[in-house]
Amino acid sequence: MLEKIFSINKGLAVAALAVTVSSFVPAYAQDIRNVSEYNLEAGVGLKGFDPVSYFAEGDKIAAGSDSLDYRGVTYIFLSSTNKEKFNLNPSKYEPTYGGWCAFAMASGSQVDIDPAIYTINGNRIHYFVSKRAKELFDADIAGYEARADRFWKQISGESPRK
């Protein structure tokens, strides 16, 4: 009888431990991340530009010197403050579509970007190959985002950042 009770309690203890351990696994660890489809130069995203610098809380838009590897992509920051901001909310600062041109992604193409040409829509930042691509995308952001989101999922297997 004691062996049966011990066996049941042991099973419950193992189940409780599994639930406890799984609650400490970061949410992104369960997400698909296919950095082989990202627009990187020697593993560096955004051509070395600081991803936080594009937002109001960041420093000026420029290439940085303080690096951080985030889930297979190296980002470069202008300051340790920007690096800390990125660490607190990386999904806000990472480029959509792996750093490819958002307008091209809407047609299923992976086209390089000019990191100085971009649009912020909510918490999403889109980069473009040219000013013309940006103008076209900005004329129908919701429509182009929806198409680009679908193609990014097909190309990379990743759900788009929101």
Side-chain angles (χ1 to χ4, degrees):
M1 177 76 169
L2 287 174
E3 290 175 7
K4 188 173 184 180
I5 292 172
F6 178 72
S7 176
I8 291 170
N9 287 339
K10 183 179 175 184
L12 291 173
V14 169
L17 179 62
V19 169
T20 302
V21 169
S22 69
S23 67
F24 290 106
V25 174
Y28 69 75
Q30 298 169 5
D31 294 340
I32 294 172
R33 182 135 169 128
N34 187 359
V35 295
S36 67
E37 294 297 333
Y38 281 50
N39 184 7
L40 305 176
E41 292 179 7
V44 175
L46 283 179
K47 302 185 182 305
F49 279 68
D50 179 338
V52 177
S53 69
Y54 291 89
F55 292 85
E57 65 272 18
D59 298 326
K60 64 182 184 214
I61 297 172
S65 60
D66 191 6
S67 68
L68 167 76
D69 181 68
Y70 177 71
R71 298 185 62 209
V73 178
T74 299
Y75 290 105
I76 315 276
F77 300 91
L78 290 169
S79 66
S80 59
T81 301
N82 280 8
K83 186 175 176 179
E84 289 171 24
K85 288 175 185 174
F86 181 91
N87 263 329
L88 291 173
N89 191 4
S91 65
K92 175 180 179 179
Y93 300 111
E94 272 201 302
T96 54
Y97 317 125
W100 296 107
C101 174
F103 181 73
M105 186 59 62
S107 64
S109 300
Q110 291 170 293
V111 174
D112 201 7
I113 60 165
D114 177 339
I117 305 171
Y118 64 95
T119 290
I120 296 175
N121 184 32
N123 278 337
R124 300 177 84 186
I125 186 161
H126 304 294
Y127 296 90
F128 303 95
V129 66
S130 67
K131 289 180 181 179
R132 180 70 178 141
K134 175 187 167 26
E135 290 168 2
L136 292 168
F137 189 91
D138 289 350
D140 182 16
I141 290 177
Y144 282 112
E145 273 187 344
R147 287 192 296 276
D149 288 352
R150 281 193 306 274
F151 281 116
W152 178 243
K153 177 79 171 170
Q154 287 175 353
I155 290 167
S156 70
E158 292 184 23
S159 296
R161 292 177 188 81
K162 296 292 181 182

